[in-house]
Amino acid sequence: MSKSTNPILKSWAVNAKKWIKTIENNEIESRRLVTNAAILQTILTNQPNTVLDIGCGEGWLVNTLVQHKIKAVGIDATATLIKAAKTKGKGKFQVKDYDTMIKGVRFKTAPFDLISINFALFENKKTAQLIKKLPDYLKTDGKMVIQTLHPFSIATDQPYKSAWRKDSWGGLKRKFTQPYKWYFRTLEDWVKLFTKADLMLEAIKEPIHPKTGRPASIIFVLKPSEER
C-alpha cells in the first residue's frame, strides 16, 4: 500500500498541523503528566549513545535526547511533521515510511544502540513486519523501547480481543478529520508478536496516571534473541 492510498498516512498528512499545535500547547494530559517522561527515562536508563526514533512525529523526543548528548535520528512518513521537527532542535530527521524500513535502508549512524517507537504502531501485519526487521538496525547488544496504549486502559467498553478500532483521534481538543482504523492488541498478542520476531522481553513498565490511578501506557523493553 503506497502513501497515497494508506488511510493512516493520509490522515496524518491532513492533520499534521493540528497535531503540531496540539503538542506545542501540551494539550494531551497523559503525555504531559506521564508518558513523555516515562519513555524518556526508560531510554536514558539504558544509556545509549545513538538512538533511532521511528514515527518521530514533530520530533520532541529526538530533540530532547540530543539535549542529553545522545546522537538521535528521527524518521516519519509525514513530511510536514519532519519539516517542523527540524525547526525545533538539533536532532536529525528524515522522511521515511515503514515500508522503506521493512525493505531495508542505510543510516550514517547505524547500527544504533537503541530504537524507540512512541505511540506509533497502528497497523496489524505491517507492525509485525517492521518489528521483525528492526534488529537489523541495532548493534549486537542493542535494545528496543516501545511505548503504546495500555491494553487494559482502552478495552473497558469493548471485548478484550485484538481487532481494528475506529477512534484514532478521539478525545483530542482540536477538530481532527479523516479518522482512521488502528489495530488494537491484547497483552498476550503483543508478547506473541515479539516472540515470533525472535525478540526477548527484558522488561514491561506500566506508567500510572496520577489522577486516575490507571495505567496511562505500557512500555516494552526488548532485545534480539541470542539465536538470531
Side-chain angles (χ1 to χ4, degrees):
M1 186 180 292
S2 68
K3 288 185 182 181
S4 61
T5 58
N6 186 315
I8 296 175
L9 297 185
K10 288 174 68 177
S11 180
W12 275 94
V14 168
N15 292 291
K17 292 182 179 180
K18 294 174 186 175
W19 177 258
I20 292 167
K21 290 297 183 182
T22 295
I23 300 304
E24 286 178 345
N25 292 291
N26 285 322
E27 293 173 4
I28 304 177
E29 184 181 65
S30 60
R31 293 175 68 109
R32 185 173 68 248
L33 297 182
V34 191
T35 63
N36 281 5
I39 192 167
L40 177 61
Q41 187 57 50
T42 301
I43 292 172
L44 295 179
T45 297
N46 284 281
Q47 300 182 317
N49 292 312
T50 58
V51 172
L52 173 64
D53 185 34
I54 295 178
C56 66
E58 79 304 323
W60 80 268
L61 181 55
V62 168
N63 285 323
T64 302
L65 291 173
V66 170
Q67 293 175 6
H68 288 271
K69 310 302 181 184
I70 295 171
K71 295 180 181 178
V73 176
I75 66 165
D76 200 285
T78 304
T80 301
L81 294 177
I82 291 296
K83 183 178 180 180
K86 290 179 178 180
T87 68
K88 296 179 181 296
K90 297 182 178 180
K92 303 297 183 181
F93 299 95
Q94 301 178 31
V95 178
K96 294 187 187 299
D97 61 17
Y98 291 178
D99 287 329
T100 301
M101 295 295 296
I102 292 166
K103 291 176 182 177
V105 64
R106 291 186 178 183
F107 293 92
K108 291 182 179 179
T109 49
F112 296 91
D113 295 317
L114 188 144
I115 292 175
S116 60
I117 308 178
N118 188 41
F119 296 109
L121 295 173
F122 308 117
E123 302 199 47
N124 182 10
K125 293 181 180 179
K126 189 170 294 185
T127 290
Q129 293 169 349
L130 177 68
I131 295 298
K132 190 170 185 177
K133 181 67 177 179
L134 291 186
D136 292 352
Y137 299 99
L138 283 173
K139 293 181 180 178
T140 303
D141 58 348
K143 296 182 181 180
M144 295 167 52
V145 174
I146 298 173
Q147 179 166 229
T148 189
L149 294 170
H150 197 293
F152 299 156
S153 68
I154 58 175
T156 55
D157 59 340
Q158 298 184 49
Y160 186 66
K161 65 179 182 180
S162 297
W164 289 94
R165 300 289 180 90
K166 297 180 179 180
D167 55 341
S168 57
W169 301 110
L172 296 182
K173 178 181 178 180
R174 296 172 189 271
K175 189 177 181 180
F176 286 76
T177 59
Q178 291 188 216
Y180 56 85
K181 291 183 179 179
W182 60 278
Y183 196 75
F184 166 83
R185 279 183 174 80
T186 64
L187 180 57
E188 179 179 357
D189 282 348
W190 274 115
V191 174
K192 286 181 179 178
L193 185 152
F194 300 143
T195 301
K196 289 181 179 179
D198 293 324
L199 296 172
M200 297 175 61
L201 188 57
E202 185 175 88
I204 292 179
K205 299 186 177 184
E206 300 173 289
I208 301 299
H209 196 294
K211 293 184 179 180
T212 66
R214 297 178 63 84
S217 67
I218 189 166
I219 296 177
F220 302 106
V221 181
L222 305 142
K223 60 182 181 181
S225 169
E226 296 177 358
E227 298 178 356
R228 288 185 65 97

